[in-house]
Every structure is written in structure tokens, then in C-alpha cells.
Amino acid sequence: MTIMNRMGKWSLLAAFVVAMAAAPTASHAAKGLLKLHEGDWTGNLVSCKLIEIILEDEMDYKVKRIFLPGGAQVFEAIIAGEIDFACEGWPSYNPIKEKYLKEYGGDGQVEMLGRMGVVGASGWYVPRYVIEGDAARGIKAMAPDLKTYADLNKYSAVFKTLETAPKGRLLACPVAAWECKDAERAEGLGVDYVAVVLGSETAHWAELDAAYSRGEALLIYAWEPHWVHAKYDLVEIGLPPHSDDAWPATDWPDDPTFNFGSPELKEKYPAVHQLLVNQNLSNTQQAGMILDIDVDGKDLDAVVRAWMAENQDVWRAWLPAGT
Amino acid sequence: MSDTTPRGLNDLIGERRDTALLAAVVVVLLISIVVASLGAGGHPFPSALGDGFPFADWVNDGEQWLKDNYRWFTKAIAGAIGDGLDRVELFLLVTPWPVLVLAVALASLWCGGLRLALFCIAAMLFWGVVGMWDSAMETLSLMAVAVAIAVTFGILVGILASQNDRVEAIVRPILDTMQTMPSFVYLIPAIFFFGIGGPPAVLATVIYALPPAVRLTNLGLRQVPVETIEAARSFGSTPLQVLLKVKLPLALPSIMMGVNQTVMMALGMVVIATFIGAGGLGYEVWQALRHLNIGWSLEGGLSIVFMAIIFDRICHALSASRAGGRAIVGDRFRLLPGWLEDADWARAFERGLGAVCGFCGTASRRFAQALAAIAGAAVRPVSRAAAESLRRFIARHAFFAASAALVAIVYLVDSHLVSYGDFPRAWQLSIREPADAALDWLKVNAAFIAVTTWIRFVVFTWFLDPLADFLVALPWWYTIALVTGIMWLSTGRWLALMSLAALFFIGAVGLWETSMLTLASILVSVFLCFLLGVPLGVGMACSNAFEAVMKPVLDAMQTMPAFVYLVPVLMFFGGNVVSAVIATCVYAIPPIIRLTNLGIREVPAETVESARSFGSTFLQTLIKVRMPLALPTIMMGINQAVMMALAMSIITPLIGGGGLGEQVFNALARVNTGKGLQAGLSIVFLAIILDRLTQAWSRKRRLSLGVQ
């Protein structure tokens, strides 16, 4: 250490540069270096953190996290060999799956590594005060009898905006590329609402936040598991049960999320492949961690480790035989 | 090209028959309204024209071919860039922060004086204070590599373009495309070719930021007076010598302007680079917005703004110090603003400051002399001549020698005595809470929301909705004919034919209606910019104090990543097209304000004086003399605002803006490069048509006023 200090950081820098040049061959000291995707939603961060900790602490791999927002980028990066695998892909939010995943009729350039347990559910929601009012905030009930989609037309004036009048506004699934078909659903169900697409999840929740803080009426697409339900009191509006025949004029099918990665993973790192296939995390298990992180502002790593310490039996069951 | 312009319109404007022109515009407008109301909805662009033109398929096939054959090549480029990037980043992250702050402060002291130095220190400390030092270093290294590449290639291409008109004619539309093609179109395909993270981010930044370097190098070289070149030639200089020894030095201020703009535009890509995995300040902003944490994103945004202003001010100081003496010496105030000159305390303070500066100057000279003597003595045994020149060199660069020694000392203290470590946590401050509190208060403030709701109502019902309806209702053949006709009259035959082809392209790829919607929001945005920007610019021109206040505000508006204010705008104005228009205005208004200010200030003092002497009031002089003379410059401002509004049309779909930008996003979610390129090219074509038109009008106005 003293020698290092005397050499100074410049020589350290030089040494580092040399080391970096030699890095591709030398640094795989452990069983291998795996590049995993870091997404921009908390569910993904939790799911992938579990895998990361297991890989590093239990299976002796090195893990490098690579941040990429959006879905299509991740698939492209896997094909390009920049990322080895990704966690918790949502079928309905990744139209690209039909191009690359065999299970969805794609060419198999990306492999689906099994369902990972979390099942997404989408729906139409309104803030509770719209139906019940909120005496504490001085908000009167605006749509007291609103229970299912069939009641929506009665209240379209409550939900109308400048741009959509005389129809009501449905703040639809925020990204047009997500295959939610809200506009078609509104039409198929015969509700007098215009599906407005804001283009990004951030904008979607910002609009919810602004309307909620002002106590305005709002009909909004949302899904679970998600932190918004912890922050805002939302009530789901009933839709006809899902059926493939009447789609999209029905409720959504469940969204069984999946891990996915490079087809080479199975040959190169069979144990890692097995772990990803085995992962099975339930919505409730994940929701608790999401709550701690997004609502209580706790540290991701600490939350996941604490959960792992308490739930050994859950995640140890994912370990491939022989570890 | 202007030779081909029919004489009719030239004469029309040349003789200032503005009323005739106005009448013509009104007549065309009336006819258009009649046509639109007659043909509403009955004339969609014929799909048969599009079926024979499978543009997206061609592009996708071409992409596949490139993927199959040229990946080794792109990977090699990405590898080289990645290497360079790693080295710069490592250097910036390993160097202790006080060393970097000191080095930048000394450099800015040398080229811009005490005020600039203090500003740079404050701005750099801000990165540390908000806990984003490492992110700032990451962004800085990305910018450094991207700007180095962009400036090198930009100047080279600029030199080539200046030597040959044909090269210039080819280069110009390419530059337009590079600047207005939404980067999202090529970011996703870039992943396969260049990987993720730094290298593709650098390349995307280079593509976007290179054009000003080319343009201003070309312009600067072409503006060198012919007589100067002739004189050099007559002394027997070869063309290469003329270029290197005469033209380039004379064009240097213009080239420096280009470099400055390149840096500014590069910083505009910081957040977008996050889309392909580049870290740094853009990542901070992205993470903050994901949590709807506006205060956090504001910290990231301000860090970027400060980085831009540091670059900008140092660049300006450098080009100014080449023109005149350095600002460090002189009898003016060093630190306090000039209007305090009459205050005793200020004078006393500045005298004290002067004494300190004098002492530092003397100390650094003494030090340099001592150093020079030692270095000279050390080298003397080897070579007397070398020793003498080394001694002189060091003595002459006293400031530099002393600075280098100071930086070295601070550095050695860190590595041998006490390590400074990371930026001290105890110093950290946060503007998150107050910013969030302000936003929370505003978004529920009934009076404020009433105002925003009223604005939303006016903009939507009076402007946006009718204009969009009108443009969509116009039959495609009528619009194409009209635009081509106007282009012919304003810019000549070739550009008219090009815009004809461009409009047919937009129709044939099935984006006619979407393009009209985009066009409507662009036009409304620019109109609002004009309504607000011109009075603000006039205000700046009339009041120095107001100008001093506005300048940093405009800088911040131009360099603050749009993502930071998109969310507050949306919370105030709601998720709809009006929010997109407002956000576009925030981004596009600075050039109108700046150029209005410049145009009015440029009006010769004699002209204003003579108007006054004829008894004109201040207001009369402003409206009848200064405004008309400033009009060509203001029109250049409008031109820039149009381009910036179009650039923004790729960001606003993220808050419900729709239009062509949304098409780009949809295509990239399915990795359909062809479809993305179609929408991207439509934006480019709209931009080029609007740009050529406004430029031509501005030029004609200039000619008719007899100013060059």
C-alpha cells in the first residue's frame, strides 16, 4: 500500500491503462463475466438484483450492470452481444418480441428464459375521490355510481377536457408501441371517450400527479405491480372479462413476465441459464420490495438483501442443481 | 441560384410594394380557405402512389446488408472511440477534484479575468455540491471526445467546402439532414454496429454537433477579403500557403464561433445519449424524471447548463482576447459590475483587489524568473543555445509557469500528504426540496392554474385546432402546388423542384396528414415565439439592465435539457398538444429574442439620431425606423426558431405532442429502421423547405433595404 502511495496516482493511472488494455483476457477471474440489463422500472431492478446477488455471492460469477431504458434497445443489445440477459420482460409492452422470440413467432435471435413469476395486470382506474369524494380535502363525489365501463357514458362530461369535449378523456396506455389497444377498446365497448396517448410513462404519471393533487376527475390506464398504487388511492373500473374473440373490447389478458437473453447462454453458462429459468418471484413478494424502495425511499441493494435473508427458502429453490 | 428568380417578385419587393405583396398573400389565403372548405376530407393522398414506393423495405434490406458485411468496420471504429473515451474518463475521475477546479480556474483567469474565473469555480463546485461530480466528469469526457472528433472533421470539411462551390452545394443538404434528422432514428440501429454506452453516444453527438463547425469554417474562409488574398498571391504564395498563412488566421474568429456552437449542440445530446446506455448527467436527469422528482432533474439540468456556460464563456474570452488585449489587465473593475464605479466602497474594494492581483503578478514573475534560471542552469551543460531559449521561454510565460507549479503542488499534496478524497459530503447542498416545494405549490395554486388553463384554451381553440383542421383539409395536390409555386418565386427553380419531390415523398410514404399536424404545431409555436420574443428582444435592446438579466436566462433556456421542463409544463398545462407547443416555445424562443435585440442594436446611431432630429418620439423611432431596419435580422431569428421547433418535435411526443415524432418512436419500439427513417426524413424535408423560404425572405428584405 505504501509503495502505491509513493508511486502516486499517475503511475497508478498508467498501470490501470495497461491493465485495461489486457483486460479482455485477464479479468474473467471468476467463472465468467456476465453483462445484465438494468432497466428503468423498479420491478425490473428488484428482479435483476436478486439474480445479480445470487450470481455473485452464491455462484461465483462477476456481474456488470448495463443501463438501457426502453425495450427495443435491450433486445438489440442482446443480439449485438452487448448484454447477456435481461429480467422481467413484459409481453404486452414489447412488440419487438414478435420479431425475435420463438414463442411469439419470432426468429429466435433472442431466447425466452422462462416466466419469472411476476404477472402483470392492466386496467382502467379512477382516483377514489372521484367516486366517493374526500371530505378532508373538500372534494365532492363526481361520479358516485361509477363501477364498471357501462357507467362511463353517464359521466363522460365529468371526464371531458378542452381537447376531447364533448367526449370524456381516457388517459390511455402511455406508449403507443405498447400493445394495449385502448383506442380500439373504447370504441369496441361503445364508451364516449377519446383515448389520449401521452407518449411516455413519466408524462402519464405526471398528469396523474397533477390531476390528483388538484382533485380533478381522471380516467387513467394503469397496471400492477406498480408504485403508483401505493402513492395514489386508485379504484379499478370493471371491464368485461378477457376473451380472445372479443379482444380488444375486453379486459387485458394476464401479462406473465419472462426473463430473456442470448441463445448462446445455454451453452456457455448452463448454470446461469438454469437459474434464470428457475426464477419464480410472486407479485406480493415483489410488491413489498417495490414499496420499500419507491415509497419509503430505501436503498435497492439493502432492501433486496434484507428480503433474501428472510426468504432463503424462496430463492434457494431457484439455484441450479449442484450449487 | 438567385439569378434564376423571376424578376417579378424581386421588383415587387425591390420597389417596396409591400401592399401588393400583402394583397397577394390575402388572396392566396382566401382561395386556400375556399378550397379547404370545398375539399375537406375528400382528398387523401392516393395510396396507389405509395404502393409503388416501398421505401421502408428498401431501407431495412439495406440495413440487413450492412449488418451482414460491415460490422467488423464499425466495431473497429467503436473500439477506437471506446479506448479514447476510457482514457479521458479515467483521467478525469482519478485526478482529484481540487486539481481540476484549480486548473480550469487558472485557465479562465488567464483568458477571461477574475470574474470568469470565479464563475467557473462556482459552476464546477455546483457539480460537487449537488453530488454529481462523478456524473459530470463522465459527461465531460463524453463531450471532450465527441467535440474533439467533431471539430477536427468539421474544420477539415469546412476547408474543403470553402475551396469549391460544388463541394459546398453537396455538403449543405447533408449538414441540414444531420442537424434535423431525429437522432432516435439511428440510435437503435447503432447498437448493433457500435455497441452500447460511450461509443455510439459519441458518434450520435458528433453527427448532431458537427454541422456548425463546418458551416462557420466555410463561412469564415469565404469572407476573407479578395484583396487580401490577391496581395498574398502577388507575393508569390501558393494556394496552400494562402490558405494556411492568410485565410485560416483571418477566419479564426468565425471558426471559434463554430467550435463554440458545436460544444453547445453536443451538450444538447447529453440526455438523449442515455437512450443507448451512456451514463453521466443525462442518466441523473433520466432517473430523476422516472421518479417525477423535478428538483433532482433540475440539479442535473443545471449541471449541464453550467458546463455549457463554462465552455461558452471561455470560448468567447479566447476569441475576444485574440481580437483585443486580455481582460486581466486594465483600469476597469475586475470583479464588481461597472455601474458601481461611483460608489466609494466599490472603488476601495477594487483597489484592494488590484493590489492583491499586482502582488500575485509580481510573485508569479519572480517565480518564473527563478524557475527559468534553474532550468537554464540545468540545461546549460548540454547546450548553451537551448538553455538560453528555454530560460527566455519560461520567463516570458510567467503566468503559465506559476499556474503549472501551483497545480503541481496541489496535486502532490493530494498524492503524498493528505488525500482530498471525494467531494466532501458535508458541503453538499440540495435544491431539490425547495424546487419540489415550489412545484407542489404552483401545481395546486388556483390562480396560476386558472391562467395556464386560459392560455391552453386560447392556444388550442383559436390557433392550433383551426390551423390543424385547415392544413389537413387542404387537398394534397393543392398544397404541393402552392408550396412549389412559392418556393419557385422565392428561391428559384431547383429548390422548387426539390421541394416538390420532398412533398411527394412525404405523401408516398403515407405521412401526409401526420406531417400537416406537425407543421401546424410548429407554425403555432413559432408564431407564439414571435409574439413574445420580439417585445422581449426590443426590451433588451432598450435597456442594458434588462439585457444583463436576460442573457443568462436565455443561455439556460437553450442548454437546459428539454426533458427537465417537460414535466412541469405538463403539470401546469395538462397532457395535450398545447403543452407540447409551450415546451417548444421555451426551447425555440431564445434566437428570436437574441436576434431582435441584436438587430435593433445594430441600427446605425446616425440613422436613429437623424430620425430624432426630425422630431420623432422614442416610440416612433422604434416602430418606424429601428424595427424595419432590424427586420432581416429578426427574420433570421425566426428562421432559427423554426429549425429549433422542428428539432423539438422529436421530444414533444413524450408529453403528448404526437405528429411525426411519435411515428419515429413507434418505429423504434419495433426496431423498424425504414419506418423511422421515413418519419425522420419527413421532418428533415419540412425543415429544409421552411429554412430555405425564411432565409430567402430575409435575404430579399436585406437587399430591398440596401443593407448587406
Side-chain angles (χ1 to χ4, degrees), chain A residues 5-13 16-17 20-21 38-42 45 66-83 94-96 99-100 109 161-163 169 171 175-179 196-207 209-210 213-214 216 227 231-232 293-294, chain B residues 63 67 71 75 86-87 90-91 94-96 188-189 191-197 274-278 283 286-287 289-292 411 414-416 419 421 440 442-445 449 453 456-458 460-461 567 570-578 652-658 662 665-666 668-672:
Chain A
N5 273 337
R6 212 171 301 154
M7 275 165 64
K9 280 183 185 161
W10 286 100
S11 10
L12 199 66
L13 172 72
F16 205 96
V17 170
M20 294 234 316
E38 177 191 338
D40 66 352
W41 72 99
T42 314
L45 294 177
I66 293 177
F67 173 74
L68 266 185
Q73 289 99 310
V74 185
F75 279 81
E76 289 298 300
I78 288 173
I79 294 169
E82 299 284 336
I83 288 178
N94 280 297
I96 192 74
K99 190 168 171 185
Y100 294 134
Q109 286 195 71
T161 63
L162 176 65
E163 297 81 7
R169 179 182 69 162
L171 205 57
V175 180
W178 295 357
E179 297 175 321
V196 171
V197 174
L198 288 192
S200 67
E201 201 189 323
T202 297
H204 195 70
W205 303 133
E207 178 79 348
D209 182 77
S213 63
R214 293 197 283 263
E216 293 168 0
W227 59 265
K231 194 166 175 193
Y232 312 99
I293 295 163
D294 276 333
Chain B
E63 187 194 357
K67 278 186 173 176
R71 196 180 182 213
K75 274 291 185 189
D86 284 345
R87 263 153 231 220
L90 197 63
F91 169 75
V94 168
T95 310
I188 305 262
I191 289 177
F192 185 82
F193 293 104
F194 298 100
I196 49 183
T274 311
F275 273 77
I276 37 167
Y283 177 78
W286 187 271
Q287 291 295 342
L289 288 178
R290 188 173 76 78
H291 292 98
L292 291 187
Y411 179 79
D414 174 72
S415 59
H416 291 271
S419 171
D440 283 342
L442 269 182
K443 84 184 169 200
V444 294
N445 183 298
I449 294 302
T453 311
R456 173 178 171 184
F457 172 79
V458 170
F460 183 77
T461 40
V567 171
L570 182 136
M571 284 178 166
F572 299 149
F573 293 91
N576 58 71
V577 202
V578 177
T652 50
L654 293 172
I655 53 165
E662 193 184 14
F665 278 110
N666 288 350
L668 78 81
R670 298 183 165 80
V671 194
N672 190 331

Side-chain angles (χ1 to χ4, degrees), chain B residues 389-414:
Chain B
S389 60
L390 182 67
R391 198 187 63 74
R392 268 210 227 131
F393 180 83
I394 295 177
R396 220 182 308 135
H397 296 86
F399 184 87
F400 183 74
S403 305
L406 201 57
V407 171
I409 291 168
V410 173
Y411 179 79
L412 291 173
V413 167
D414 174 72

